[in-house]
Amino acid sequence: MQDLKIPAHIAFIMDGNGRWAKRRLMPRKYGHKMGVEALKRVIAACEKLGIKEVSFYALSTENWSRPKDEIDALLAMIKKFADEEMKEYVDKNYRIRFMGELHRLPQETQNALESIARAAENNTGIVVNIGINYGGRDEIARAAQKAAESGLPVTEEAINANLDTAGMSDPDVIVRCAGEKRLSNFMLWQCAYSEFVLIDDFWPDFNEQTVLRIISEYSGRERRFGGLK
Ligand code: FPP
């Protein structure tokens, strides 16, 4: 059997919640609800398998154009996730971080997320990084602006140090699901050398077996980071 190479960091673009629900003649919101269940399964599986960091795209800067009731449902799920699971994660020594501009969220959600991130700041377990109101271009522009304001040269290191992910490792693998093959403005800077793994399943069907498939595909890749064989 192939030796498994465990990636240190996997980034997931969660997709297909709506189509998953539609196939079951259910509203899109139900797909997102089941998407949250998949998120919990995947975090637990990654932790169990020894992955050190995981990143997820929960809400993009472009998602606000969706119907209001869908956005409200997503925001309510994020708040519930913060009040329930994230608190448990903090107790389990997980480090929780956010990417994106939280200021567009309802004030109480912002407060809840900021207090979780603070409480988990010194935790040493798996890092769970969630993109909320996140856009890769927006993140790079903000980081470049901050680097320029420091008065020092705007180098790659300076941008890195000002990204929402400052101090984190770059993803080894980026996973897109539901038959899509795009980056959709997710972690544009950080994914420069990430291995793409495409999974046809809709996000609500993800589980530990899916994570094992991802690891198995990654294990067969040869990474050269632009160098020679
Ligand atoms: C994509 O499916 C998924 C999203 C836009 C949101 C992902 C959010 C969650 C899983 C739940 C909330 C997150 C947290 C952190 C609690 P889609 O709606 O684009 O599906 P489709 O492509 O089939 O229409």
Side-chain angles (χ1 to χ4, degrees):
M1 213 185 96
Q2 174 196 28
D3 273 344
L4 287 185
K5 208 164 55 182
I6 304 290
H9 184 172
I10 308 186
F12 296 88
I13 303 179
M14 305 185 280
D15 211 342
N17 295 350
R19 280 167 281 170
W20 184 93
K22 193 171 173 201
R23 286 210 179 158
R24 288 160 180 79
L25 306 178
M26 296 295 281
R28 297 177 55 81
K29 281 185 274 189
Y30 182 68
H32 295 314
K33 186 169 186 281
M34 291 299 117
V36 177
E37 295 308 310
L39 176 63
K40 294 190 224 165
R41 285 195 297 274
V42 168
I43 293 175
C46 289
E47 207 261 343
K48 178 176 155 195
L49 293 165
I51 292 154
K52 303 273 180 263
E53 299 190 16
V54 276
S55 295
F56 299 92
Y57 205 178
L59 194 69
S60 76
T61 44
E62 290 76 33
N63 285 152
W64 299 99
S65 61
R66 293 187 177 210
K68 184 173 182 309
D69 77 318
E70 184 174 344
I71 292 292
D72 287 347
L74 280 168
L75 291 175
M77 284 174 208
I78 291 171
K79 174 77 169 63
K80 187 165 184 282
F81 194 72
D83 291 340
E84 296 172 5
E85 275 72 33
M86 288 194 203
K87 284 204 173 135
E88 245 178 66
Y89 292 160
V90 176
D91 293 339
K92 285 180 170 167
N93 195 31
Y94 295 6
R95 190 148 172 227
I96 320 281
R97 299 181 51 141
F98 301 99
M99 302 181 288
E101 296 201 84
L102 301 184
H103 65 75
R104 203 169 160 185
L105 303 175
Q107 190 62 52
E108 55 164 6
T109 308
Q110 254 180 75
N111 295 346
L113 297 177
E114 279 160 6
S115 109
I116 295 281
R118 263 196 312 274
E121 214 163 36
N122 296 317
N123 284 356
T124 53
I126 185 169
V127 181
V128 178
N129 183 41
I130 304 183
I132 301 178
N133 188 27
Y134 174 81
R137 287 182 174 179
D138 172 69
E139 182 195 24
I140 295 168
R142 285 187 285 111
Q145 177 66 33
K146 280 194 228 155
E149 281 166 7
S150 74
L152 297 169
V154 180
T155 57
E156 282 192 24
E157 290 70 27
I159 299 225
N160 255 324
N162 285 289
L163 291 170
D164 299 342
T165 52
M168 287 176 60
S169 65
D170 288 341
D172 297 299
V173 188
I174 179 146
V175 179
R176 178 98 200 207
C177 55
E180 308 296 347
K181 300 179 175 68
R182 291 182 295 278
L183 209 44
S184 296
N185 206 11
F186 190 51
M187 301 186 86
L188 296 182
W189 179 279
Q190 298 86 342
C191 284
Y193 286 102
S194 306
E195 294 292 327
F196 251 109
V197 172
L198 303 171
I199 299 282
D200 280 338
D201 304 3
F202 293 137
W203 176 256
D205 288 327
F206 269 55
N207 55 29
E208 186 176 331
Q209 283 310 311
T210 329
V211 178
L212 283 168
R213 271 161 60 202
I214 294 163
I215 295 176
S216 163
E217 186 165 338
Y218 171 76
S219 299
R221 302 279 177 93
E222 191 194 344
R223 302 185 76 193
R224 297 204 295 274
F225 299 94
L228 295 176
K229 256 189 190 183

